[in-house]
Amino acid sequence: MSTFKKHIQQMGAYKPPLDGRDPDKHMLLDFNERTLPVSEAVCSALVDYIQAGRLQMYPAYGDVVDRIAEYANVPASQLMITNGSDQGIDLIFRAACTEGDEAIIPGPTFAMYMQCAKVENLKIHSPSYTSDRGFPLTEVLSLINEKTRIITIANPNNPSGTLVSREDIITIAKAASHAVILVDECYFEYSALTVVDLVGQYPNLLVTRTFSKTWGIPSLRLGYIISAQENILSLLNVRGPYDINQLAIVAIRAALENLDGIQSYVDEVMNESKPLLEQFLKSSGVEFWPSGGNFVWAFFDKPAEVQKTLFEQGILVRPKEDTDNRVGLRITLGSKKQTQYLLEVLGSCRGLGA
Ligand SMILES: Cc1ncc(COP(=O)(O)O)c(C=O)c1O
């Protein structure tokens, strides 16, 4: 018999379908990752660090918080680093919520929020995103009560790509001033929409970000939280002193030296690849949700057939259900060349549009 808490034994694990992904065999358009390798400078910094014989030492972060704060344009006192944004999300739930509290998690969305809410045994409300109205603002506002402890806003949302305006986030932060408003800006570089400048004004606002997506180091696990200084100090009481591994720090120091390289990848994805895919979908009569991220959620007439053909031609995409159990394929965008190949294969698929 397990000695763990009953509600935890009854939970399901968060198990993304990672098996068999191989960048030598597949074009990986299934996890919203950067589809091109990181720069030479980042690789050499990592190799140099390993060859310098330092792996036996515990991590030491130096001034990396200052460097990231400079990039994010916030005071360093408002920022802490985390082991991926998953850890940031987990820390915020753990530090803010107590069993019996209520969470508002509009869905479908990134699975981690539900997992954290379930671990804390919260009462979960999950109003639905819709393709025409986007974020369910009215429903969220009507669900707020004195037990509401946390409201999650993925901006843009995964898988729908939906953006939430700064005005709507402020409305929620004011309406639930007793609750944490967790704004997940994991795809910030693509959306260029942020509320980090508001954290001094709204002490209940917590923003999570990551170096996993645009920056291409999900394998090394580095994210950060931006919030009012008193929140950061509290969360630092919960995070372990060595939770972020040293190689992530080495990589990001090198990557921050080449912001132009990051921006040119973002520009190619957002200004070239994404319009190409959207144009193709429109002309093929395939419905898709407006997206602020490096991915598009497309509702093909026969999604399983389309996914199979893509797979046979070496392209991985991710099926995701909407709240009416309709399956859409979430397709990550990469370089223009990769997108042209994607469109060539999509063009040969049966069961695209109605
Ligand atoms: C909205 C959102 N937040 C957070 C994450 C996780 O990011 P990290 O790798 O930094 O934990 C993802 C990953 O898919 C995501 O889509």
Side-chain angles (χ1 to χ4, degrees), residues 101-280:
D101 285 347
E102 297 192 9
I104 303 176
I105 304 177
T109 191
F110 180 51
M112 194 66 193
Y113 316 134
M114 280 292 178
Q115 165 154 346
C116 293
K118 286 181 183 166
V119 169
E120 300 308 321
N121 215 5
L122 307 183
K123 179 171 176 197
I124 301 167
H125 301 280
S126 190
S128 300
Y129 282 86
T130 47
S131 59
D132 50 339
R133 284 178 303 114
F135 181 78
L137 177 66
T138 316
E139 292 90 324
V140 168
L141 292 173
S142 69
L143 284 164
I144 295 170
N145 63 43
E146 70 284 356
K147 287 196 170 165
T148 307
R149 197 66 203 113
I150 191 161
I151 301 172
T152 60
I153 305 172
N155 206 20
N157 184 46
N158 169 13
S160 65
T162 313
L163 288 170
V164 188
S165 71
R166 278 162 63 89
E167 292 68 33
D168 287 355
I169 294 173
I170 292 171
T171 303
I172 294 167
K174 284 184 179 164
S177 56
H178 59 296
V180 162
I181 314 301
L182 193 173
V183 182
D184 180 341
E185 294 186 357
C186 172
Y187 300 97
F188 156 71
E189 282 80 5
Y190 298 109
S191 71
L193 184 63
T194 184
V195 288
V196 294
D197 55 306
L198 298 176
V199 300
Q201 220 173 319
Y202 297 95
N204 57 335
L205 210 51
L206 286 105
V207 178
T208 53
R209 285 198 187 164
T210 187
F211 289 104
S212 289
K213 302 295 179 184
T214 326
W215 299 75
I217 54 160
S219 51
L220 298 176
R221 315 299 302 137
L222 180 61
Y224 53 105
I225 300 175
I226 295 174
S227 191
Q229 181 176 10
E230 64 267 25
N231 296 332
I232 296 297
L233 289 173
S234 296
L235 290 170
L236 284 169
N237 294 339
V238 186
R239 199 204 66 194
Y242 313 120
D243 283 354
I244 298 92
N245 89 69
Q246 188 71 49
L247 293 178
I249 302 299
V250 168
I252 224 55
R253 279 187 193 284
L256 284 169
E257 296 293 316
N258 180 17
L259 293 180
D260 288 351
I262 297 295
Q263 192 56 46
S264 73
Y265 180 75
V266 168
D267 290 345
E268 182 169 349
V269 167
M270 298 306 275
N271 303 334
E272 299 194 58
S273 301
K274 198 160 159 228
L276 279 178
L277 176 61
E278 289 174 341
Q279 190 47 48
F280 174 89

Side-chain angles (χ1 to χ4, degrees), residues 297-336:
W297 200 22
F299 289 80
F300 298 96
D301 200 28
K302 297 199 168 74
E305 267 192 45
V306 173
Q307 189 187 0
K308 183 165 172 280
T309 307
L310 290 174
F311 180 76
E312 285 163 357
Q313 300 306 316
I315 301 174
L316 304 189
V317 296
R318 186 102 174 255
K320 289 273 178 184
E321 277 186 11
D322 70 8
T323 39
D324 296 324
N325 302 111
R326 238 172 30 123
V327 175
L329 298 181
R330 193 193 65 196
I331 305 174
T332 305
L333 288 150
S335 69
K336 185 173 175 194

Side-chain angles (χ1 to χ4, degrees), residues 48-62:
D48 288 350
Y49 183 84
I50 292 168
Q51 287 180 342
R54 302 264 184 88
L55 289 180
Q56 78 281 12
M57 288 168 60
Y58 275 99
Y61 305 131

